[in-house]
Amino acid sequence: LKLVCFVSSVLIFCEFLIYYVVIFQCRWPEVKGGAHMGKKETSTSVLKAIILADTHLLGEIKGHWLDKLRREWQMERSFQTALWLLQPDIVFILGDAFDEGKWSSPQAWADDVRRFHKMFKHPVSTELVVIVGNHDIGFHYEMTTYKVNRFEKVFNFTSGKLITRKGINFVIVNSVAMEGDGCAVCRTSEAKLVALSHKLNCSQQKLNHSDKRCSDVEKLPASEPILLQHYPLYRKSDAECSGEDSAPPEEKNIPFKEKYDVLSQEASQKLIWWFHPRLILSGHTHSACEVLHAGKIPEISVPSFSWRNRNNPSFIMGSITPTDFSLQKCFLPYESRVFAIYCAAGALLVVLILAHFQLLTPPFYFAQRLISKHKA
């Protein structure tokens, strides 16, 4: 009975309670002016958003069943615990929800989607927005209309879609389609982005009756948009990135390949010209990074949410208003520390079993006899 209680306690802590212990320490950041508002006013005007990326649910081709079981349990417990403790208004997943969406047969895709909905189930009060990544529909040369439509049907995703919550504009971008080669998916995606850019620009201008281009345009909140996409905007490498969850030192100086690791310079410049965003959130690299574009536009690369890609996954907590935002990182349990707890518990268990069966007694008697002879 003692043995069962000991093993059960270790398992319950490492596989369940540890997520509450760690995520309980995370706090929503305060936006400027939040201190001058009452609690009721703050809760109604500030949008609480959780941003995570690259969950990479394993598929039937490369995914071992034990690896699937372990990684999906970790992500499910982390996500459900975060929802329960933090109660966000909206959650964004910045692409690569699946690892093998680019290869999946209809049956495998249906199974992956079923597991995803189980892991990331959420209450009606929390909205979930999933953005497309290269592993969901393939890199540009693998991307097809069928794969894009399959993803859009499940997640109600459309490139060039605007999501407005509490007066805050979020622009959803299919960054895989920003190749610039005029492919069918790319043309459609860019046309939607240009039309949305026109709407946002007209909404931010003061009413001018002489400007006929904006006379028939639907007015949107005048808030500068936040760009959400999978690929980061162009940067040479991760050499300037810092922090404990940035890329390893041996990888930081490896140059990024345009249209593969990051968007091309041309596509990046287009997005900045079209939208003049106040913040850009991206994933794909599996490591954290913060860069400034044009000297004033911050981009946050969100690290992977999966322990398969990192020892220290995390997600971003954002308190956002129409005019300001504040971000805070919430780290999940380090897998190395969980293994250390298991190893320590295993060693202690071995000692307790040996002591129980009095297998540790002979060495003690032998040492006692040696001491007695020495004294004699």
Side-chain angles (χ1 to χ4, degrees):
L1 183 61
K2 291 178 181 177
L3 177 66
V4 170
C5 289
F6 179 80
V7 173
S8 300
S9 299
V10 173
L11 281 172
I12 290 171
F13 178 78
C14 289
E15 302 300 331
F16 190 80
L17 293 179
I18 193 170
Y19 299 101
Y20 288 89
V21 172
V22 173
I23 297 176
F24 180 76
Q25 301 173 53
C26 299
R27 295 287 182 272
W28 288 103
E30 289 188 3
V31 290
K32 293 177 182 177
H36 304 291
M37 296 186 289
K39 286 186 177 180
K40 186 175 181 180
E41 187 180 356
T42 302
S43 63
T44 56
S45 61
V46 177
L47 183 76
K48 293 180 177 180
I50 283 180
I51 305 102
L52 55 98
D54 295 275
T55 54
H56 284 274
L57 266 71
L58 292 171
E60 65 176 8
I61 300 173
K62 296 172 65 178
H64 187 275
W65 69 269
L66 185 60
D67 201 10
K68 276 185 185 180
L69 182 67
R70 176 70 182 159
R71 304 311 176 191
E72 291 179 12
W73 170 258
Q74 289 171 316
M75 288 191 286
E76 181 177 350
R77 288 316 324 146
S78 297
F79 185 77
Q80 296 302 327
T81 303
L83 285 188
W84 191 78
L85 289 175
L86 303 174
Q87 298 183 354
D89 300 311
I90 192 167
V91 177
F92 295 105
I93 299 181
L94 303 180
D96 281 0
F98 306 106
D99 194 56
E100 299 178 6
K102 53 186 177 180
W103 301 320
S104 294
S105 65
Q107 295 78 14
W109 172 260
D111 182 62
D112 291 346
V113 169
R114 177 188 58 78
R115 288 174 13 245
F116 178 90
H117 284 317
K118 173 182 176 294
M119 291 167 56
F120 295 98
K121 61 185 176 183
H122 52 91
V124 179
S125 58
T126 299
E127 185 177 1
L128 179 66
V129 179
V130 184
I131 293 149
V132 73
N134 58 288
H135 275 263
D136 301 314
I137 58 174
F139 283 98
H140 177 261
Y141 61 88
E142 300 170 304
M143 179 179 61
T144 63
T145 304
Y146 167 75
K147 293 176 187 176
V148 174
N149 291 341
R150 181 171 70 173
F151 186 90
E152 290 181 351
K153 184 178 179 181
V154 172
F155 296 109
N156 192 27
F157 169 88
T158 304
S159 181
K161 181 178 180 180
L162 180 74
I163 295 177
T164 302
R165 300 292 181 268
K166 295 188 177 182
I168 304 158
N169 296 318
F170 297 95
V171 176
I172 309 300
V173 179
N174 178 0
S175 50
V176 185
M178 294 297 294
E179 189 80 5
D181 64 349
C183 74
V185 177
C186 299
R187 285 199 311 271
T188 303
S189 178
E190 288 201 18
K192 290 179 179 178
L193 290 171
V194 170
L196 181 56
S197 167
H198 180 57
K199 279 186 179 181
L200 285 168
N201 289 334
C202 286
S203 300
Q204 291 175 23
Q205 294 175 3
K206 293 182 179 179
L207 289 176
N208 187 349
H209 297 291
S210 63
D211 191 352
K212 296 181 180 179
R213 293 181 304 169
C214 295
S215 58
D216 297 328
V217 175
E218 175 193 357
K219 292 297 183 289
L220 302 169
S223 173
E224 292 179 324
I226 295 174
L227 226 57
L228 301 168
Q229 57 193 52
H230 181 62
Y231 283 147
L233 295 191
Y234 175 79
R235 61 177 183 261
K236 291 181 179 179
S237 68
D238 270 351
E240 302 300 321
C241 306
S242 59
E244 60 183 299
D245 56 349
S246 61
E250 63 273 13
E251 296 179 10
K252 283 190 175 182
N253 293 310
I254 299 176
F256 281 149
K257 181 181 177 182
E258 292 185 52
K259 304 180 182 181
Y260 188 86
D261 299 307
V262 292
L263 286 178
S264 66
Q265 296 185 58
E266 180 185 0
S268 302
Q269 197 60 57
K270 277 183 180 179
L271 289 172
I272 291 175
W273 283 342
W274 288 340
F275 296 106
H276 303 284
R278 55 179 168 138
L279 174 65
I280 302 165
L281 294 165
S282 60
H284 188 58
T285 63
H286 297 177
S287 299
C289 189
E290 183 173 352
V291 294
L292 277 180
H293 297 285
K296 59 180 180 179
I297 302 173
E299 177 182 5
I300 308 295
S301 288
V302 182
S304 175
F305 191 68
S306 173
W307 280 262
R308 193 167 185 260
N309 299 321
R310 302 198 58 82
N311 177 45
N312 58 340
S314 62
F315 58 86
I316 302 289
M317 301 167 60
S319 298
I320 309 170
T321 68
T323 57
D324 201 2
F325 63 87
S326 182
L327 305 178
Q328 181 72 40
K329 190 167 291 182
C330 181
F331 282 96
L332 300 175
Y334 281 63
E335 189 161 49
S336 57
R337 293 176 183 171
V338 174
F339 283 154
I341 294 172
Y342 273 128
C343 290
L348 179 59
L349 186 61
V350 170
V351 171
L352 292 175
I353 291 174
L354 292 176
H356 177 75
F357 291 105
Q358 298 183 345
L359 297 176
L360 292 178
T361 307
F364 291 140
Y365 279 149
F366 179 72
Q368 189 176 11
R369 284 199 299 270
L370 287 178
I371 293 172
S372 300
K373 289 180 180 179
H374 180 71
K375 287 182 178 179

